[in-house]
Amino acid sequence: VAGGPPRILVTLGTVNAGRRAELLATLLDGLEPLDAELVVAVGPGVAPSRLGPRRPGVHVVEYVPFGRLLPTIDLVVGHAGAGTMLAALGAGRPMVLLPFAADQPQNAAACRDAGAALVIEREGWTGDRIRSTVEAALAMPSLAEAALRIRAEIQAMPGPAQVVTRLERMVASR
């Protein structure tokens, strides 16, 4: 997004509040020194106040509608959960991913392999490592280019009505 410091969305989804709170604190401690605006969506079960007072430009909220926010974001820092990952790719936003459960490692690997994300494995979850990876991601135009390419691929896919019509034709032809 043009003009001013980068705007970064930080989110770890809506499941497993205890794990999210600890990692969110680590993320914030690492990212707060950046010259960036941070929007931190903590999800249910984590009170925004639990993450303490933060500098101006760090907005800690329980919920924010991604559909309205993502077009204004330069980078998404998240967990590679399917919902967040697909929303970011649908908006053409590059990511830094910290997978920790379920299908997240596979999702993160797919995004990395497609060139749209950098991935930090669990042993690298330190404030310094997170900050340096985010700085690297912001300095890599290829990540944003790959995310925009994927967005175009998603936009070219048939919509639900087209899929239903195709399925009906397939069933009728049997």
Side-chain angles (χ1 to χ4, degrees):
V1 179
R7 191 171 206 207
I8 301 169
L9 169 61
V10 178
T11 181
L12 297 176
T14 58
V15 179
N16 201 338
R19 184 175 290 168
R20 282 187 294 111
E22 183 180 319
L23 182 52
L24 281 166
T26 300
L27 283 164
L28 273 171
D29 291 345
L31 298 177
E32 192 167 15
L34 292 176
D35 180 21
E37 181 181 4
L38 303 176
V39 178
V40 184
V42 298
V46 179
S49 60
R50 184 173 173 184
L51 296 173
R54 298 290 174 167
R55 68 164 170 81
V58 176
H59 314 283
V60 182
V61 297
E62 183 175 337
Y63 170 80
V64 61
F66 284 177
R68 292 179 43 201
L69 180 65
L70 283 170
T72 72
I73 294 296
D74 296 289
L75 182 71
V76 175
V77 177
H79 62 307
T84 301
M85 176 195 66
L86 290 171
L89 291 173
R93 296 300 176 242
M95 295 170 279
V96 169
L97 299 172
L98 298 91
F100 59 81
D103 61 350
Q104 297 164 11
Q106 294 84 4
N107 294 342
C111 290
R112 180 196 59 228
D113 294 348
L118 298 180
V119 177
I120 305 172
E121 300 300 339
R122 187 181 303 262
E123 62 275 3
W125 291 356
T126 65
D128 289 341
R129 175 75 185 276
I130 291 165
R131 182 173 45 258
S132 67
T133 303
V134 165
E135 288 172 331
L138 289 169
M140 292 176 68
S142 63
L143 286 181
E145 291 163 4
L148 289 170
R149 177 185 47 76
I150 294 168
R151 178 183 72 176
E153 291 175 14
I154 291 170
Q155 290 173 338
M157 291 178 178
Q162 293 168 306
V163 171
V164 167
T165 300
R166 287 181 185 176
L167 290 172
E168 288 172 339
R169 285 186 197 140
M170 288 172 60
V171 169
S173 68
R174 289 187 153 214

